[in-house]
Structures are given as structure tokens and as C-alpha cells.
Amino acid sequence: MKYVVLIYNNPTAWQHPMFLQSGPLSEQERAERTSEFQTLLKELTETGELVDSAALGDPAHSIALRMREGVLAATDGPFADVKEHLAGYFVLDCATPERALELARRFPDVRAGGVELRPVLDPSELRM
């Protein structure tokens, strides 16, 4: 089954990798987080569980589109008064939900921002 790992972080220091941008880190902490992430990516690649991933641009450069009562409105970002914004995603193909959770917990962003794990629905499961 496929899962998406959504990475959230504070946009005040928008620069990837986001897990290195949250607060002051010692050189040792930076090296440890980078090593953890590289180890995780290597494992995901070797096991074939990594399907896709992307880092997202600064939310200040995004545009939100909404249609209300037949009128389309486009609003420059950021759009919400929140501390964390979506910074990137990883799509994983895991044999079990437990494996997906095990992998999601290992993203360094879990300590600095937030990580959300969500199953990806098969198109056949969608009601039309």
C-alpha cells in the first residue's frame, strides 16, 4: 500500500533540508540529523519503498485558488496564520501500515517540525 509522508516546518527560515533550519544546532547535531536522513533515504531506495519525493518552495510564493458563488479568487500566500507549512513530501510503498509508521518516525523533521503519515487511496476506492 502507498503512503504519503508530509513534512511540515516553520517558514521563517525556508531552506531545505528543513530539519536543519529549526533553531540553533551544534555541528554535531547537524551531522547526526544529516546522517540519519541519508541512512533513511539509502534504505528506502535499496528496499524500493521510495516511490517519489519533492521539496516544496517557500509558501510566500504560492497562490491559493478558491471559487465561491461562481467567483474565482486567487490569493497570494501564505494563507493561514499557522506556525508550520507543508515543506515537502515522500511517497512510500510499504507492505504494512506498521512499516510505514516505522519509516515516518525516522524522518528528522519529526523533532523540529512535524511529520504526517497518510494512506494514499487506490483510484478504485474513490466514489464518483
Side-chain angles (χ1 to χ4, degrees):
M1 179 163 189
K2 290 185 181 158
Y3 296 85
V4 64
V5 176
L6 301 170
I7 306 295
Y8 292 91
N9 216 312
N10 189 319
T12 57
W14 203 268
Q15 181 182 353
H16 294 282
M18 293 301 291
F19 62 82
L20 296 180
Q21 309 309 320
S22 299
L25 296 175
S26 69
E27 284 304 314
Q28 180 178 345
E29 290 170 317
R30 292 176 66 80
E32 287 172 359
R33 287 188 188 182
T34 299
S35 177
E36 288 172 19
F37 186 62
Q38 289 171 341
T39 299
L40 177 59
L41 284 182
K42 182 175 187 252
E43 179 182 334
L44 291 171
T45 302
E46 289 174 352
T47 62
E49 292 171 305
L50 179 62
V51 175
D52 191 18
S53 66
L56 301 179
D58 189 329
H61 302 291
S62 57
I63 299 171
L65 301 171
R66 290 180 175 81
M67 182 157 311
R68 300 294 184 263
E69 298 179 15
V71 177
L72 181 64
T75 307
D76 293 338
F79 318 104
D81 187 21
V82 295
K83 293 180 182 175
E84 296 173 343
H85 291 263
L86 184 60
Y89 68 89
F90 293 80
V91 178
L92 309 178
D93 192 354
C94 299
T96 66
E98 293 78 17
R99 174 65 176 162
L101 182 58
E102 172 193 334
L103 293 170
R105 294 168 127 159
R106 291 174 51 197
F107 281 85
D109 304 270
V110 78
R111 291 189 301 269
V115 172
E116 179 181 352
L117 177 65
R118 204 185 286 188
V120 175
L121 295 178
D122 184 288
S124 66
E125 297 176 63
L126 303 176
R127 292 183 182 164
M128 297 293 226

